[in-house]
Amino acid sequence: MEVEYTGHPLLDVGLATLTAFAHKRHPSELTQDDLRKAAEYMQQNYTVDPLKSFLTVAFPNSGYTNPAYENQPEKRKIYAERVLFAFSGSAAPERDPFLGSPAANIPYDVKGELRPGRAFRQHVPLLTGEGIINFYPYGDAGVPLSGLSILAFQALPLGCAKVGGRLLAVHSDDPEILLHFARTFLETNRKNVQLARTAGEKKLPETSPRRMRTCLIEHLLIAERVRREKEREAYPVTVTAYYFSNSGQGVDLQIMPLPLEVSAFQGAVLSPNYEPLWERLVKREWQITQGGEARYNRLYEDLFSLPEEASTFIRRYFLRRPSRAKDKTDPTSGYDTRGEADLISWPLTELFLRKVVRMDETRIQHIRELGDALATYVVERNDRRFFDNFWMARNYGEMRAALIRASQAEVRRGRPPLITLDQFLAIFEQAEGIPAADWRLGRDLVLIRLLEQLYQKGWFQAHAAELPEVEETAEEA
């Protein structure tokens, strides 16, 4: 069966789900027998709870969920037979726009009133309903689908995570990542279906207790680890989450792409040089709960704000500056650089600058060298005044004045200035496409290197109790 992924996210997730159900590696390996076994599973489970009640999220008013068929199980059986086993029937003159194969020559409804092969909202999530001509060529309502396409769309919910009562589908340009998510969610859903049916429960359990973004990142990191085991140097991949509901009570779709820069960073932090540092940060970012399981990891959630919010991300997670979060369970509200200096890591920050910010290597070198020079100066001169002024600078002028005074003091001692004009311009006046980037980014990055060095030299621990507490300003927020 010569079947390739199409680029349509929902259809591809459905194809990947059929592939995972058959324990194959690619849709091109699927056989008629594989399709039949998947269709039989759906036929047995889609017409009864817990899946029947849940499928209103994906296929409202379909033969599986239509309340009018509650006391007419034979009609549910007719619907399931027509929709799920259309791949084994004859072909219609129209062609499937997704796979290029002929549409199925069978109406996808119980009464046989629809045009053969034409699918609508009750068959494919987020399509328009019957008779609505908008967005179709020549106002010809419905999409002609082959038996394989309609079966893949029916399999879609099994390859999604149930999170917050909605469906989470994950698409990627990497077939291995795409299949990993479909397989993982399929296995969890099948297990949950079996447990619910055994217990006589009518509702399908949630795939994960996590928030949707946290759930996605957790599974993506697992997939990346598997991929890195197979490939020495894993290349970055596109990952896009589709969080949606097709319910009659409210159709909604959220599309959340994870940029290639973030994908590249995530792959890199799993290497032996960075993973221990990364895991220490991740452990600190879980929602603070009183005995229950944390629903989200703030670090994971904020990965979706990148690269646009890179400056805030650096300040929050690498410099450990507290946020103004009103939610008391949010871990970022309790950050304190003075007490968490052991979590500050220049190597991890430098990796972030290369992979996510795409910062120029020369600028990174200037930041590292200035941080080292300032650390040496603070330790040798024990200049608490300079450190406090640089640490607490509220505006560009205060920060610049602190550097100028310290450099002048060094020159008076017959030593080179702490910072040159070229360094100052490179660190505090440049930006790599970050919206509203300003002097704070340069200062924060220098501080990260400075604090790491002071911690390693023991100076920071000796003076931590004397240092003032720093709160997020309105401009930083």
Side-chain angles (χ1 to χ4, degrees):
M1 187 178 293
E2 295 299 323
V3 180
E4 297 292 335
Y5 289 117
T6 65
H8 186 289
L10 302 188
L11 179 57
D12 283 354
V13 171
L15 289 171
T17 304
L18 292 175
T19 304
F21 194 97
H23 304 287
K24 301 291 178 67
R25 298 185 59 187
H26 193 273
S28 60
E29 300 174 5
L30 291 171
T31 65
Q32 290 288 105
D33 189 53
D34 293 330
L35 301 183
R36 180 183 57 78
K37 290 178 180 178
E40 288 174 349
Y41 177 83
M42 286 182 264
Q43 183 184 41
Q44 293 167 9
N45 289 279
Y46 278 16
T47 57
V48 295
D49 288 328
L51 282 179
K52 176 170 69 69
S53 60
F54 176 65
L55 287 179
T56 55
V57 176
F59 309 121
N61 294 321
S62 66
Y64 313 126
T65 63
N66 194 328
Y69 298 161
E70 198 63 40
N71 297 318
Q72 303 176 69
E74 69 281 358
K75 290 190 175 181
R76 294 199 194 282
K77 184 177 180 181
I78 292 171
Y79 180 83
E81 184 75 27
R82 290 191 172 195
V83 172
L84 298 174
F85 293 89
F87 66 88
S88 60
S90 58
E94 294 187 292
R95 299 197 76 80
D96 181 330
F98 300 109
L99 298 179
S101 51
N105 192 27
I106 187 172
Y108 296 140
D109 67 320
V110 173
K111 296 180 180 180
E113 296 175 346
L114 297 178
R115 285 174 58 182
R118 285 293 175 112
F120 299 88
R121 181 183 172 190
Q122 67 267 35
H123 310 110
V124 178
L126 308 179
L127 277 188
T128 53
E130 296 176 28
I132 299 176
I133 65 175
N134 302 44
F135 312 113
Y136 291 107
Y138 309 105
D140 193 4
V143 177
L145 293 182
S146 63
L148 176 56
S149 283
I150 192 72
L151 180 63
F153 278 118
Q154 304 311 290
L156 167 66
L158 292 175
C160 294
K162 180 190 176 186
V163 182
R166 298 186 177 191
L167 291 169
L168 172 64
V170 182
H171 189 263
S172 174
D173 62 347
D174 185 295
E176 291 291 330
I177 296 292
L178 174 60
L179 183 60
H180 172 88
F181 275 97
R183 183 193 300 117
T184 300
F185 295 152
L186 172 66
E187 291 173 354
T188 302
N189 287 330
R190 291 187 69 178
K191 176 183 175 182
N192 286 343
V193 167
Q194 184 60 43
L195 291 174
R197 292 192 67 173
T198 301
E201 299 288 342
K202 290 190 175 182
K203 288 190 176 181
L204 182 71
E206 295 273 305
T207 304
S208 169
R210 311 293 195 204
R211 279 184 186 174
M212 177 266 300
R213 291 180 177 86
T214 295
C215 173
L216 173 60
I217 297 299
E218 276 191 305
H219 284 92
L220 181 58
L221 287 170
I222 294 172
E224 283 287 354
R225 286 188 177 93
V226 172
R227 198 162 66 100
R228 289 185 71 87
E229 290 174 1
K230 297 179 180 178
E231 304 172 28
R232 273 183 124 182
E233 203 166 316
Y235 53 88
V237 299
T238 63
V239 176
T240 305
Y242 297 83
Y243 187 53
F244 66 95
S245 170
N246 193 40
S247 170
Q249 297 178 349
V251 178
D252 187 52
L253 169 65
Q254 296 179 44
I255 303 176
M256 289 157 293
L258 198 65
L260 277 174
E261 296 94 335
V262 179
S263 175
F265 176 69
Q266 279 195 298
V269 296
L270 296 180
S271 66
N273 291 336
Y274 300 104
E275 188 168 20
L277 303 171
W278 175 252
E279 288 300 326
R280 291 180 66 205
L281 280 188
V282 169
K283 186 177 180 180
R284 177 66 175 83
E285 313 310 331
W286 286 104
Q287 176 193 23
I288 302 169
T289 59
Q290 295 181 351
E293 185 174 10
R295 291 191 61 243
Y296 69 88
N297 185 292
R298 184 62 189 272
L299 175 61
Y300 287 169
E301 299 274 315
D302 285 349
L303 286 174
F304 288 89
S305 69
L306 299 173
E308 288 80 10
E309 299 295 330
S311 296
T312 302
F313 193 94
I314 289 169
R315 182 179 308 115
R316 182 82 65 248
Y317 298 107
F318 299 142
L319 188 54
R320 314 304 296 173
R321 287 285 178 91
S323 72
R324 290 183 168 186
K326 296 180 181 179
D327 181 2
K328 293 182 180 180
T329 67
D330 189 322
T332 62
S333 62
Y335 288 179
D336 185 349
T337 307
R338 299 170 303 175
E340 298 183 280
D342 60 314
L343 293 177
I344 295 176
S345 166
W346 172 255
L348 198 58
T349 306
E350 190 171 2
L351 179 68
F352 184 86
L353 295 178
R354 290 196 176 101
K355 297 294 185 180
V356 178
V357 181
R358 301 294 184 91
M359 185 174 283
D360 179 74
E361 287 292 335
T362 301
R363 189 182 182 195
I364 294 176
Q365 181 180 349
H366 283 319
I367 293 169
R368 183 172 56 248
E369 290 174 351
L370 178 59
D372 291 344
L374 295 182
T376 300
Y377 170 79
V378 169
V379 172
E380 291 181 353
R381 306 298 176 191
N382 197 27
D383 193 341
R384 270 285 312 284
R385 181 182 178 187
F386 162 76
F387 181 83
D388 289 352
N389 289 337
F390 190 72
W391 162 279
M392 296 288 292
R394 293 168 296 180
N395 55 56
Y396 182 78
E398 289 182 2
M399 183 272 303
R400 182 179 57 185
L403 286 171
I404 290 174
R405 285 195 297 267
S407 288
Q408 288 175 336
E410 286 294 272
V411 171
R412 284 195 294 269
R413 296 185 183 97
R415 302 176 64 173
L418 292 175
I419 186 171
T420 65
L421 177 61
D422 288 342
Q423 280 182 318
F424 187 89
L425 294 176
I427 295 171
F428 300 107
E429 298 288 347
Q430 289 183 15
E432 277 75 21
I434 301 173
D438 59 12
W439 64 274
R440 292 180 185 83
L441 175 60
R443 191 276 307 272
D444 290 346
L445 292 172
V446 173
L447 261 178
I448 289 170
R449 180 64 176 182
L450 169 61
L451 291 171
E452 182 196 58
Q453 293 300 299
L454 291 179
Y455 187 84
Q456 292 178 1
K457 297 174 185 292
W459 186 92
F460 190 88
Q461 297 91 312
H463 297 83
E466 309 163 14
L467 301 178
E469 182 179 358
V470 179
E471 294 185 356
E472 186 175 56
T473 65
E475 291 82 0
E476 290 173 337

